[in-house]
Amino acid sequence: MTIWDARHETMAREQLRALQLERLQDMLARVYERVPFYRERLRAAGVAPGDVRSLADVRRLPFTTKSDFREQYPFGMFAVPVDEVVEIHSSSGTTGKPVVAGFTRRDLDTWAELVCRIAVMAGVHADDVAQISFGYGMFTGGFGLHYGLQRAGAAVVPISAGNTARQLQFMRDFGSTVLIATPSYALHLAEAIARHATPKAFKLRLGMFGAEACSEELRRRIESRVSMRATDNYGLTEVIGPGVSGECECRSGMHIAEDHFLVEVVDPTTDEPVAEGETGELVFTSMTRECSPVLRYRTRDLCSVTTERCACGRTLARMGKIVGRTDDMFIISGVNIFPSAVESVLFAIEGVEPYYQIVLERTGAMDTFEVQVEVTEAIFNGWMDDLRAFEQRVTEQLRSALLVRPKVKLVEPGTLERTEGKAKRVIDRRQR
Ligand code: ADP
Ligand code: ZN
């Protein structure tokens, strides 16, 4: 197992903390001087950059949220003048103004370096052919992986998302060994490969998935359709894009680039830190970004973080799978439910295809919770009685895991929408 940047990835934690403090202090001084938005926030919180003398003092600093980014659209959070900016990205943002983040030349270098780290961590070598099926464009996914994989020495195929027939043609003809995609699109591609006339002609061996949650069950489903090993990788535009964290070959959590990003896990309701290993909201401070540094960014992503040493030898903390986004969670009959919990139950059931959608509706004062699930051809076209019994079984398993009884609707394979990017799992029609 190769470690790209052994100096930082295996740094003694004591030493890492010293580096973090130094970088945090430097970043604070910079944003205080250069970004009026942060200067006002810090003043309002009654803290001057010099007040931060230990890492624990980070808790005295104000949080930054997605709406702050939107209000500062487009360049209000930039800490450098436009002549130092060499690239600008923005995240999709389903509502309101988009989030914008800029990169200086050094930011691009850092980004390439951090994505290269997670690529090498996943097992990418210089002789790999890496097909990037993340969308290119304003989304950080495509370009981030592009820069990082090139640095790792891979031959990059910048095909972007979509056009499955062409994806398969190049994948086979170029002998692509690494696939970069959202797990939803990877599943779609894997199924297309499995159906292909010559599935043996494909050389995929490694998947680097990211941008959305991938349950263990979904990962297994994809890996069983094409024989590759896939890693989970996490990132977000506000922090840098991909490269924030990724799984090593041990696949027991994603190593966070803590030398660049200070991580906290807080209780989303009290804002207090949770104990190590407990689940809470991830909060990141990007200490080295020149153009778009962010102070205590509230990701709304829920997961746990451990600093226990990993078998790979890296000392960087690991975050678990994202169990949900605070804005993804829905409430039915007073029970909080994350789509990931529904997914884990469904994908563990034999006969269920890895496609589902949750539909929430309000009839009168009652909320209805429907789960539409694709099942295999054999089940769908089997005896009606068997289909009912199967539906019952799925309903019962969901009920016992979620403590709420959904209405399960089994549908034919191929019914639900396929996606090239992030899947939309929940349709909430309850808003009046
Ligand atoms: P958005 O989706 O908000 O338009 P981004 O493209 O920056 O913007 O996406 C970042 C978000 O995507 C994260 O905050 C997180 O919710 C989700 N995400 C990214 N990677 C993963 C992952 N590996 N597992 C689960 N969720 C992820
Ligand atoms: Zn590891």
Side-chain angles (χ1 to χ4, degrees), residues 105-253:
R105 212 164 278 291
R106 208 183 79 179
D107 288 334
L108 282 191
D109 186 64
T110 306
W111 198 19
E113 190 65 15
L114 297 186
V115 176
C116 176
R117 256 193 213 179
I118 57 166
V120 172
M121 233 184 251
V124 170
H125 309 135
D127 56 3
D128 275 310
V129 177
Q131 185 151 336
I132 303 186
S133 308
F134 267 164
Y136 275 68
M138 297 311 284
F139 171 59
T140 52
F143 281 96
L145 267 300
H146 187 98
Y147 300 141
L149 283 160
Q150 282 193 336
R151 184 161 296 194
V156 165
V157 182
I159 190 164
S160 195
N163 198 340
T164 303
R166 211 162 73 108
Q167 297 270 354
L168 261 62
Q169 185 197 333
F170 287 160
M171 201 182 282
R172 186 195 53 193
D173 297 348
F174 297 177
S176 302
T177 48
V178 181
L179 172 66
I180 318 296
T182 61
S184 326
Y185 194 46
L187 172 68
H188 188 59
L189 290 170
E191 290 187 333
I193 295 171
R195 278 196 311 269
H196 196 271
T198 57
K200 292 261 178 326
F202 292 84
K203 297 212 180 79
L204 280 187
R205 62 170 191 90
L206 182 68
M208 282 181 74
F209 299 163
E212 65 177 1
C214 181
S215 64
E216 284 305 330
E217 292 78 9
L218 178 57
R219 168 146 72 184
R220 268 199 294 278
R221 297 265 181 147
I222 299 169
E223 289 177 338
S224 69
R225 277 167 170 84
V226 283
S227 66
M228 65 169 164
R229 243 175 100 78
T231 60
D232 192 3
N233 300 278
Y234 170 89
L236 64 170
T237 313
E238 295 84 346
V239 176
I240 200 167
V244 175
S245 68
E247 277 180 327
C248 65
E249 289 171 272
C250 305
R251 302 203 299 184
S252 61

Side-chain angles (χ1 to χ4, degrees), residues 8 11 15-24 259:
H8 292 105
M11 202 173 229
Q15 217 184 331
L16 175 67
R17 276 191 291 270
L19 178 66
Q20 286 178 320
L21 179 61
E22 189 186 305
R23 289 183 165 176
L24 176 67
D259 46 336

Side-chain angles (χ1 to χ4, degrees), residues 5 8-9 11 16 19-20 23 114 117 256-262 287-288 316:
D5 180 356
H8 292 105
E9 296 178 67
M11 202 173 229
L16 175 67
L19 178 66
Q20 286 178 320
R23 289 183 165 176
L114 297 186
R117 256 193 213 179
I256 303 168
E258 286 182 284
D259 46 336
H260 294 267
F261 313 119
L262 186 67
M287 300 169 290
T288 55
L316 298 174

